[in-house]
Amino acid sequence: MHIKCITGLVLAMLWLSACAQDSDMADNNISIIASEEEQKVEVFFNGEIFTSYLYSENLKKPILYPLKIAGGTDLTRGFPFDPRPGERTDHPHQAGLWFNYGDVNGLDFWNNSDAVPDDRKDQYGTIIHKEINDIRNGEDRGELDVSMEWVNSNGEILLTENTVFVFSNSENTRIIDRITKLTATDSNVSLKDNKEGVLGIRVARELEHPESESDTGLTGLYRSSEGLEGDDVWGTRGKWVKLSGVIHNQEVSVSILDHSENAGYPTYWHARGYGLFAANPLGQEEMSGGVDQLNYELAAGESATFKYRIIISSDSSFSDEQMNEYWDEFNDEYQGISL
């Protein structure tokens, strides 16, 4: 076959692929499109980018980044990928939305990043994306099913992970359900109590807590299911926490909901005023100041499933009653479900 014919055939195939993606996005309110070459999976709501599942080799864990409110406003911090003027440049491992832990058989998965010096890399663990198992687009919801491996610096597998992300939305609210099953391989796995965990989001500068009246533009406020607010939320337990504030004159909120079947329920909240918003059910001794203790373990071949709902909205006025209703719906929907 002549080169000219081959080129024409390739162009035709690319055109058909592009048309198929355009058709998919037109037919479904929620469209999930994978790009193996770019090592990412993009999630669109009504043709507008919401987030991407990123798993490039330079990341120490797959993440969802960025998270966007309807209309395109970024809810998450830009650093270290796309720094924005005035934002903090601390903790390069805190990017987007992620799931990992600070002590897995003595290895730190939470704090791992390219900033770790070579002579300390053996103290850290890495979560490696292995496979996209399934993608389902739909009018009301979309699903992304992926597999990962938690490995040490020698590439030895401690845990396998299967995670299903379920994406849904309404007019001004976007929802991510993250259902994660961890399985110990052929050895026991210890997840000793540690404050660094488990499900985390690093939010935009505007959602940080103001520390003084001079902190103009910082508008964040945590509120927990137990009625606690601000910095008082850190180190307490609750079934949900909402962080609300204003970004570019737009009221926003992001909430994390725990599930009653999760280990360590109700979770402790590792919610920091500087922009780290995390649920940590496993680090009980650290989070409680020694009052509680868990030191969770998985025997060889044993599995545990963790279920969370993240609600992102351009409405920050959800009452406690509404939040409790959201929690009831989530808890009922995934009751008894383990991947």
Side-chain angles (χ1 to χ4, degrees):
M1 186 179 291
H2 293 299
I3 292 176
K4 185 175 181 180
C5 294
I6 295 174
T7 303
L9 179 60
V10 170
L11 290 173
M13 292 175 66
L14 290 172
W15 181 84
L16 288 171
S17 175
C19 288
Q21 290 191 358
D22 290 343
S23 175
D24 194 31
M25 293 180 65
D27 293 340
N28 297 292
N29 291 331
I30 301 175
S31 299
I32 303 172
I33 299 175
S35 172
E36 185 175 349
E37 181 180 354
E38 297 183 69
Q39 295 180 301
K40 69 178 181 179
V41 182
E42 295 178 302
V43 181
F44 296 87
F45 286 170
N46 298 312
E48 181 180 85
I49 186 69
F50 167 49
T51 191
S52 295
Y53 170 79
L54 305 179
Y55 57 94
S56 65
E57 295 175 357
N58 64 322
L59 293 173
K60 304 305 179 182
K61 60 192 177 280
I63 62 174
L64 293 184
Y65 173 89
L67 299 175
K68 290 180 176 287
I69 307 156
T73 298
D74 284 321
L75 182 90
T76 41
R77 178 176 70 163
F79 178 81
F81 308 113
D82 185 21
R84 295 191 286 269
E87 70 178 10
R88 298 177 189 260
T89 56
D90 55 61
H91 301 87
H93 54 277
Q94 296 178 5
L97 169 66
W98 69 92
F99 181 99
N100 62 8
Y101 195 55
D103 190 333
V104 182
N105 282 4
L107 297 176
D108 185 352
F109 281 77
W110 180 272
N111 289 290
N112 200 1
S113 76
D114 282 343
V116 173
D118 290 341
D119 61 352
R120 295 179 56 200
K121 289 186 183 298
D122 61 346
Q123 302 173 34
Y124 293 81
T126 302
I127 303 175
I128 299 174
H129 167 85
K130 297 303 294 183
E131 189 172 1
I132 298 172
N133 302 315
D134 194 17
I135 289 177
R136 296 185 181 183
N137 297 322
E139 184 174 345
D140 300 317
R141 58 190 279 159
E143 295 184 12
L144 171 63
D145 183 337
V146 293
S147 295
M148 311 175 207
E149 292 176 345
W150 296 43
V151 304
N152 63 18
S153 59
N154 295 321
E156 297 167 335
I157 303 169
L158 307 181
L159 294 164
T160 60
E161 175 181 337
N162 179 206
T163 287
V164 173
F165 297 97
V166 181
F167 303 97
S168 58
N169 74 324
S170 60
E171 184 175 348
N172 61 1
T173 301
R174 296 173 164 184
I175 294 175
I176 304 167
D177 294 337
R178 177 173 182 143
I179 315 302
T180 293
K181 179 181 179 180
L182 299 179
T183 303
T185 52
D186 48 6
S187 299
N188 296 352
V189 174
S190 167
L191 296 103
K192 187 178 179 181
D193 287 21
N194 188 286
K195 74 178 178 66
E196 309 286 30
V198 164
L199 179 87
I201 305 173
R202 185 61 191 260
V203 297
R205 173 72 170 159
E206 292 87 342
L207 293 183
E208 294 179 20
H209 276 196
E211 297 179 358
S212 66
E213 292 183 1
S214 62
D215 284 337
T216 57
L218 307 189
T219 63
L221 180 66
Y222 290 112
R223 182 172 177 82
S224 79
S225 59
E226 309 312 296
L228 299 174
E229 290 192 337
D231 291 328
D232 291 339
V233 171
W234 190 92
T236 65
R237 306 180 87 156
K239 60 186 181 182
W240 56 260
V241 164
K242 179 183 73 171
L243 173 60
S244 58
V246 177
I247 302 178
H248 299 160
N249 297 317
Q250 181 180 7
E251 291 190 1
V252 301
S253 65
V254 53
S255 306
I256 301 176
L257 283 59
D258 193 18
H259 194 278
S260 64
E261 293 179 337
N262 287 346
Y265 172 86
T267 186
Y268 276 93
W269 293 97
H270 189 18
R272 295 296 197 186
Y274 68 79
L276 169 64
F277 183 13
N280 185 357
L282 302 182
Q284 296 191 10
E285 184 174 10
E286 297 290 332
M287 303 299 292
S288 69
V291 174
D292 296 325
Q293 189 178 75
L294 182 61
N295 289 326
Y296 195 68
E297 292 188 358
L298 289 173
E302 186 180 5
S303 298
T305 299
F306 296 85
K307 297 173 272 196
Y308 296 98
R309 172 165 286 179
I310 300 95
I311 302 174
I312 296 168
S313 182
S314 54
D315 183 355
S316 63
S317 64
F318 297 135
S319 66
D320 290 358
E321 290 76 17
Q322 287 174 301
M323 289 300 302
N324 285 327
E325 289 177 5
Y326 284 133
W327 183 87
D328 288 339
E329 292 172 1
F330 167 62
N331 197 58
D332 290 347
E333 182 176 351
Y334 290 97
Q335 197 69 216
I337 291 178
S338 58
L339 300 178

